[in-house]
Amino acid sequence: MNEPAKDAENRDHKKLGKELDLFTFSDAVGKGLPLWTPKGSVIRRELERFIVDEEIRRGYLHVYTPDIAKLDLYKKSGHYPHYKDSMYAPIVIDDEEYMLRPMTCPHHFELYLDKPHSYRELPMRIAELAKLYRYEQSGELMGLQRVRTFCLADAHIICATEEQAADEISKSLDLIEYVAGVFGLKQETDYHFRLSLGDRNNTGKYYKNDAAWEKSEALLRDLLKKRGEKFEEAKDDAAFYGPKIDVQMKNANGKEDTAFTVQYDFCMPDRFDLTYVATDGSKKRAFVVHRSSIGAIERIVAFLIEHYAGAFPLWLSPVQVKLLPISEKHAGYAKEILEQLRAENIRVELAEGDSLGKRIRDAKMEKVPYVLVVGDAEVEAKTATLEGRAGKVGALPIADIIVKLKEEIRTRAA
Ligand SMILES: [Zn+2]
């Protein structure tokens, strides 16, 4: 096998996911339905906390809406004919048909419609970590990259004017670029922008309104140019309700997928009669932007496993520190350190039993970022010897180790 192919195989998220015990599947549960292990759940939870906190800082309102809704809701939104092949069969309750939701949009629009809104409240950024369900053919399923249920970091931004919508699209791209930066991803090498356009002749696939398509496609194109972004254009790849800017990423095997997306929608505001009260007291039609910041959690985790080759930065590592007492007589002191680190929310494990050499090798195999070794000298001096992936840091007082690790976690250092 040549070097790049070997590297791709070693990075493959399905292989690493098993070796590092991050996720699994069960035939009894079903194909394409991932089970997150405790370690994989740590990564997912850290990503969820990161994006929710970041979005709240940027003025998003995080909500919860149900995983199922009446079939009629998806008929009202117009999603049903476009998505029915990828939706699960209806569940009949009290003579009404319910569907596992394949998208979040109509749920958020109904929430917005709960009461009238003033122009002062807009743009209103409604966000949710939304569990979605889509049928993928079994041949299409691939690890966490292609699954039948996933959690999308989704949002719908209700805007008062087209200018406001354009500004929100730009801010969404800022957020996406920020997130990509935290993961150390670079435009062109790791991801690229794609302007996905509709097709005026394909009225079965796209909402019919030629003027609105022309206008909104030009709006997204101008915006990308104004920002100085490099991008390609793809015809016939839009959402049925409008054009979109997709952030495309390749997995270790070279297969490209959309990781994040920002979409301009000129269709749903009419279908849901989304309005706001303008300065003069009149009711005006709103504009909508759909966007995902960190994309589907499953897909970004698959991508990050491959990007880091399983060696996650400290803030995302399921186990951040392994404590290694040199012999049994140092175990008591190691346990004291364990309690101190735990009290500071540092994820730490104590490894005992095998030889020190084997335990160090195991920690490396598990890609744990730091080990702390304690022996006679450390017990005596009330220190621990810190060793990272780059090599030995040295013997430090426990308080200093805590400060160092917490700073690295806080800054999400790569
Ligand atoms: Zn949406």
Side-chain angles (χ1 to χ4, degrees):
M1 201 182 289
N2 62 26
E3 278 309 309
K6 185 95 198 119
D7 183 56
E9 191 189 290
N10 287 337
R11 283 174 182 269
D12 187 305
H13 84 276
K14 300 187 294 301
K15 183 171 174 273
L16 283 171
K18 196 165 187 62
E19 283 170 12
L20 300 173
D21 189 23
L22 303 178
F23 62 91
T24 188
F25 292 90
S26 149
D27 279 341
V29 174
K31 281 201 177 91
L33 305 173
L35 304 172
W36 294 79
T37 63
K39 282 185 176 163
S41 299
V42 169
I43 299 173
R44 175 174 174 160
R45 190 160 48 245
E46 288 297 336
L47 288 171
E48 291 180 350
R49 280 177 180 158
F50 160 58
I51 200 61
V52 170
D53 287 351
E54 188 56 40
E55 289 179 353
I56 288 172
R57 204 171 289 129
R58 291 173 190 244
Y60 283 84
L61 308 169
H62 262 267
V63 302
Y64 298 95
T65 60
D67 289 8
I68 70 169
K70 287 184 189 173
L71 172 55
D72 286 344
L73 180 66
Y74 307 107
K75 286 185 176 163
K76 179 179 176 181
S77 68
H79 280 100
Y80 187 64
H82 299 278
Y83 279 82
K84 68 176 186 317
D85 292 339
S86 60
M87 287 168 89
Y88 290 95
I91 302 158
V92 179
I93 308 170
D94 298 337
D95 295 330
E96 285 185 304
E97 291 182 306
Y98 286 79
M99 307 298 286
L100 283 169
R101 66 173 166 188
M103 77 289 300
T104 332
C105 339
H107 298 236
H108 288 178
F109 300 149
E110 289 297 323
L111 188 61
Y112 179 81
L113 289 171
D114 177 53
K115 54 177 187 271
H117 297 283
S118 148
Y119 70 95
R120 283 191 207 88
E121 295 172 74
L122 307 189
M124 185 183 282
R125 308 178 187 95
I126 305 170
E128 181 171 1
L129 292 176
K131 277 202 196 137
L132 306 179
Y133 304 83
R134 289 185 196 173
Y135 172 76
E136 296 268 2
Q137 294 194 352
S138 48
E140 293 289 314
L141 297 172
M142 189 180 61
L144 285 183
Q145 179 132 349
R146 286 275 170 150
V147 285
R148 286 177 173 170
T149 176
F150 56 93
C151 176
L152 188 67
D154 205 1
H156 296 92
I157 310 173
I158 319 288
C159 305
T161 61
E162 232 162 15
E163 293 70 44
Q164 204 171 66
D167 190 42
E168 287 302 312
I169 291 168
S170 198
K171 282 181 175 153
S172 300
L173 294 177
D174 289 344
L175 174 57
I176 286 171
E177 287 183 337
Y178 171 76
V179 167
V182 167
F183 298 136
L185 305 176
K186 293 190 180 62
Q187 207 183 132
E188 298 306 307
T189 8
D190 300 302
Y191 68 91
H192 67 271
F193 286 117
R194 183 180 78 181
L195 175 61
S196 300
L197 308 165
D199 178 356
R200 311 289 176 273
N201 299 321
N202 193 345
T203 51
K205 187 169 170 189
Y206 300 109
Y207 185 67
K208 176 77 184 156
N209 185 340
D210 287 2
W213 278 101
E214 292 298 335
K215 204 170 163 191
S216 53
E217 287 179 351
L219 183 134
L220 294 189
R221 189 179 291 116
D222 290 349
L223 191 138
L224 282 168
K225 282 186 182 159
K226 217 159 82 190
R227 288 174 61 92
E229 310 285 3
K230 269 193 183 169
F231 64 97
E232 55 168 8
E233 300 201 4
K235 228 181 152 35
D236 197 16
D237 253 320
F240 76 87
Y241 45 72
K244 57 195 178 113
I245 297 168
D246 293 321
V247 179
Q248 301 294 107
M249 287 189 193
K250 272 195 185 116
N251 77 352
N253 295 310
K255 191 179 179 326
E256 187 177 301
D257 257 320
T258 299
F260 317 134
T261 180
V262 184
Q263 310 174 346
Y264 185 72
D265 177 354
F266 49 78
C267 163
M268 297 294 162
D270 287 342
R271 284 188 168 271
F272 280 83
D273 193 20
L274 301 176
T275 61
Y276 64 95
V277 181
T279 37
D280 61 2
S282 67
K283 260 196 193 175
K284 287 226 161 82
R285 177 67 73 228
F287 295 83
V288 166
V289 174
H290 307 234
R291 55 101 278 196
S292 70
S293 50
I294 201 172
I297 303 284
E298 285 73 5
R299 190 170 282 181
I300 192 70
V301 168
F303 181 81
L304 291 177
I305 292 172
E306 298 184 351
H307 173 65
Y308 294 122
F312 284 95
L314 190 64
W315 72 281
L316 283 174
S317 288
V319 177
Q320 295 171 315
V321 179
K322 275 237 179 175
L323 256 172
L324 312 176
I326 289 177
S327 76
E328 248 171 70
K329 66 176 177 177
H330 310 114
Y333 177 59
K335 277 179 192 143
E336 278 175 37
I337 300 173
L338 181 99
E339 292 309 322
Q340 289 178 53
L341 296 187
R342 269 205 188 135
E344 299 289 344
N345 293 320
I346 294 168
R347 295 185 291 270
V348 53
E349 255 179 31
L350 182 64
E352 292 177 285
D354 296 316
S355 74
L356 182 64
K358 177 161 190 323
R359 282 178 287 150
I360 289 177
R361 281 196 302 280
D362 285 349
K364 288 216 167 97
M365 285 286 290
E366 292 163 30
K367 305 196 192 258
V368 175
Y370 286 108
V371 296
L372 276 178
V373 179
V374 292
D376 288 340
E378 286 83 2
V379 173
E380 175 74 27
K382 291 279 162 205
T383 59
T385 296
L386 183 67
E387 195 177 326
R389 285 179 183 135
K392 201 173 262 182
V393 182
L396 296 170
I398 309 307
D400 292 3
I401 291 169
I402 290 173
V403 169
K404 177 183 159 50
L405 297 182
K406 283 182 78 173
E407 185 60 12
E408 193 176 326
I409 293 166
R410 189 189 66 79
T411 56
R412 298 194 175 90

